């Protein structure tokens, strides 16, 4: 989708510190990390918010989680713990309207979130 930052990262036209790429998803380091590990996992397809998901997206949504799980394990956070979270719309603080799974690890993450 023209003008979308994360579509640009997915197609390589906008630089990012990419740590994983496959047929369905791309993972890269967040530019403004809020934890020692802060990775975003995005679908290659432009999907603006969780509200736009359909049953056809089941495979890609599953891949987002499996890639987050793999990165957490590879970085040694699987036993200690980590958080994956996806914000939807204004009240949740979504700022980029191309869905992205945040993978956060390396410090205690309080609950409930702010
Ligand atoms: P959200 O507020 O859930 O929409 O999260 C958007 C995230 O994208 C934030 O954590 C930003 O720091 C991150 N972000 C914005 N621009 C970039 C970029 N060019 N490269 C990597 N991460 C970015
Ligand atoms: Zn996009």
């Amino acid at each position: 989708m023209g003008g979308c930052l994360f579509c640009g990262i997915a197609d390589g036209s906008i630089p990012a510190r990419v740590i994983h790429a496959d047929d369905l998803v791309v993972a890269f380091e967040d530019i403004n990390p809020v934890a020692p590990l802060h990775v975003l996992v995005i679908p290659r397809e432009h999907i603006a918010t969780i509200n736009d998901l359909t049953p056809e997206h089941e495979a890609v949504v599953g891949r987002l989680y499996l890639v987050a799980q793999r990165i957490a394990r590879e970085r040694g956070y699987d036993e200690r713990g980590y958080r994956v979270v996806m914000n939807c719309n204004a009240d949740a603080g979504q700022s980029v309207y191309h869905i992205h799974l945040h993978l956060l690890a390396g410090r205690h993450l309080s609950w409930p979130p702010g």
Side-chain angles (χ1 to χ4, degrees):
M1 185 185 163
C4 173
L5 174 64
F6 286 179
C7 281
I9 289 176
D11 70 21
S13 61
I14 293 173
R17 297 176 71 170
V18 173
I19 56 181
H20 171 90
D22 63 38
D23 56 327
L24 290 177
V25 308
V26 176
F28 53 95
E29 293 180 14
D30 196 291
I31 203 167
N32 183 27
V34 298
L37 178 69
H38 189 173
V39 169
L40 302 177
V41 192
I42 66 169
R44 288 191 179 276
E45 178 184 345
H46 181 84
I47 303 166
T49 79
I50 297 172
N51 292 330
D52 299 299
L53 290 170
T54 68
E56 284 141 43
H57 293 123
E58 277 189 7
V60 70
V61 171
R63 185 73 62 82
L64 295 175
Y65 278 86
L66 289 171
V67 167
Q69 177 209 58
R70 188 189 314 161
I71 294 166
R73 187 189 303 125
E74 285 171 357
R75 301 293 179 96
Y77 293 112
D78 52 335
E79 294 302 324
R80 181 175 156 184
Y82 55 92
R83 183 170 294 166
V84 290
V85 64
M86 189 181 290
N87 298 318
C88 181
N89 280 339
D91 269 4
Q94 184 174 2
S95 61
V96 178
Y97 283 81
H98 177 135
I99 62 168
H100 45 282
L101 195 62
H102 294 259
L103 166 60
L104 301 162
R107 66 171 173 83
H108 179 74
L109 299 161
S110 60
W111 191 265

